[in-house]
Amino acid sequence: MGKAIAIDGPSASGKSSVSKGVAAALGFIYVDSGALYRGVTWQAIRKGVNVKDAAAVLECMHNTDWDFFVQEGAAVFSVDGDVPVQELREKEVREAVAHVASVPEIREFVVESLQSLINFGSLVMEGRDIGTVVFPDSPYKFYLDADPEERAMRRYRELVTAGEDEKAHEVMESLKKRDQIDATRKADPLKVAEGAQRIDSTSMTLEDVIQTVMDKVQENV
Ligand code: CDP
Ligand code: CDP
């Protein structure tokens, strides 16, 4: 059985950069669990489903053909034969995903799909509930955090670099709103998993955070 390194935390805490770095260093498969919630949301939007209508999104999800595979060291999925990447980052998806991810039956489907990826090999999986729900028995659990202002600034810089016309205060509001939904929802809210190491990266470089995770993992091997 492969190993699963769980990396949870709020938006822009550094989960994906850190997970990719650790996966590359260890030769593990990188998994972005949020992408799957975004995939369900994107599919609903492109099928014209009202994303606030949980039953309709669920039906759309069940009527879709999902397929998982590994490409260049990362887990990827196709949605009715299409592989969305940039599409998952669109504003419409970003603003609806936290609502879609708060539906328990949608979470069940995503959690089971994520668990099955262990059949491909050892994983570094980032998300909100990886250490609490997806791989609760993993000895490798981390909770990344950073001050909300720092996180909003990181996200804002990324959006500006990507050429998006966003206002800093809007990014801050959207991030806070998503944090709030993620931390207070009934189904698998974002919280520090039992046994997880908490890392506050507000004033740490990416390399420092990656090294902290690597040290801990190697200690446990
Ligand atoms: O990149 P960012 O942290 O902003 O978001 P993401 O990881 O792509 O996740 C998008 C949304 O999916 C989050 O705001 C959560 O609502 C949801 N999500 C979740 O509920 N559980 C996970 N394991 C991963 C994401
Ligand atoms: O996956 P998540 O939303 O938690 O965060 P991310 O996409 O990995 O990181 C958001 C941005 O913050 C990226 O542009 C990272 O390069 C940057 N970052 C940073 O400046 N310092 C850190 N210690 C971690 C991330």
Side-chain angles (χ1 to χ4, degrees), residues 8 10-12 15 32-35 37-38 89 97-98 101 107 114 126-130 155 178 182 185:
D8 291 305
S11 192
K15 298 181 300 296
D32 172 5
S33 68
Y37 290 99
R38 287 174 185 261
R89 299 276 137 201
V97 64
R107 300 200 68 82
L114 294 171
E126 57 140 318
R128 301 291 191 290
D129 62 341
I130 311 307
R155 200 46 103 226
R178 206 133 59 84
D182 290 347
R185 68 175 176 227

Side-chain angles (χ1 to χ4, degrees), residues 104-175:
E105 294 89 345
I106 291 175
R107 300 200 68 82
E108 257 170 56
F109 163 77
V110 172
V111 168
E112 281 171 20
S113 304
L114 294 171
Q115 287 168 335
S116 74
L117 297 177
I118 199 79
N119 296 319
F120 289 124
S122 292
L123 313 171
V124 182
M125 189 177 290
E126 57 140 318
R128 301 291 191 290
D129 62 341
I130 311 307
T132 51
V133 177
V134 183
F135 292 113
D137 299 328
S138 169
Y140 316 106
K141 301 184 200 177
F142 299 88
Y143 185 92
L144 302 191
D145 210 350
D147 291 347
E149 292 73 21
E150 166 66 17
R151 292 191 287 111
M153 209 52 219
R154 289 176 185 176
R155 200 46 103 226
Y156 174 66
R157 270 190 239 117
E158 267 182 355
L159 291 168
V160 169
T161 307
E164 286 207 34
D165 181 25
E166 293 271 348
K167 307 256 178 325
H169 71 94
E170 283 174 7
V171 175
M172 179 82 198
E173 273 157 32
S174 151
L175 185 131

Side-chain angles (χ1 to χ4, degrees), residues 17-218:
S17 324
V18 170
S19 303
K20 281 179 193 160
V22 172
L26 296 174
F28 286 15
I29 298 161
Y30 162 68
V31 189
D32 172 5
S33 68
L36 197 44
Y37 290 99
R38 287 174 185 261
V40 174
T41 309
W42 174 73
Q43 173 72 343
I45 292 171
R46 79 166 172 162
K47 291 285 174 189
V49 170
N50 173 4
V51 287
K52 294 268 172 77
D53 182 345
V57 178
L58 191 61
E59 192 190 344
C60 169
M61 184 187 84
H62 284 312
N63 289 333
T64 299
D65 187 21
W66 304 90
D67 194 24
F68 297 85
F69 52 100
V70 177
Q71 199 171 57
E72 292 170 14
V76 184
F77 58 89
S78 63
V79 187
D80 280 343
D82 298 318
V83 180
V85 179
Q86 267 319 106
E87 293 87 338
L88 302 180
R89 299 276 137 201
E90 283 164 5
K91 191 170 179 183
E92 251 188 307
V93 173
R94 181 166 13 113
E95 289 180 347
V97 64
H99 293 286
V100 170
S102 65
V103 179
E105 294 89 345
I106 291 175
R107 300 200 68 82
E108 257 170 56
F109 163 77
V110 172
V111 168
E112 281 171 20
S113 304
L114 294 171
Q115 287 168 335
S116 74
L117 297 177
I118 199 79
N119 296 319
F120 289 124
S122 292
L123 313 171
V124 182
M125 189 177 290
E126 57 140 318
R128 301 291 191 290
D129 62 341
I130 311 307
T132 51
V133 177
V134 183
F135 292 113
D137 299 328
S138 169
Y140 316 106
K141 301 184 200 177
F142 299 88
Y143 185 92
L144 302 191
D145 210 350
D147 291 347
E149 292 73 21
E150 166 66 17
R151 292 191 287 111
M153 209 52 219
R154 289 176 185 176
R155 200 46 103 226
Y156 174 66
R157 270 190 239 117
E158 267 182 355
L159 291 168
V160 169
T161 307
E164 286 207 34
D165 181 25
E166 293 271 348
K167 307 256 178 325
H169 71 94
E170 283 174 7
V171 175
M172 179 82 198
E173 273 157 32
S174 151
L175 185 131
K176 278 193 168 157
K177 211 181 283 169
R178 206 133 59 84
D179 278 0
Q180 166 82 4
I181 299 174
D182 290 347
T184 58
R185 68 175 176 227
K186 283 205 185 78
D188 314 334
L190 170 67
K191 60 176 184 214
V192 185
E194 217 181 298
Q197 179 176 351
R198 188 173 175 277
I199 304 172
D200 185 335
S201 75
T202 307
S203 47
M204 285 170 84
T205 65
L206 207 49
E207 291 68 32
D208 287 343
V209 182
I210 292 172
Q211 196 54 52
T212 308
V213 172
M214 297 287 293
D215 288 347
K216 184 77 179 175
V217 170
Q218 269 143 8

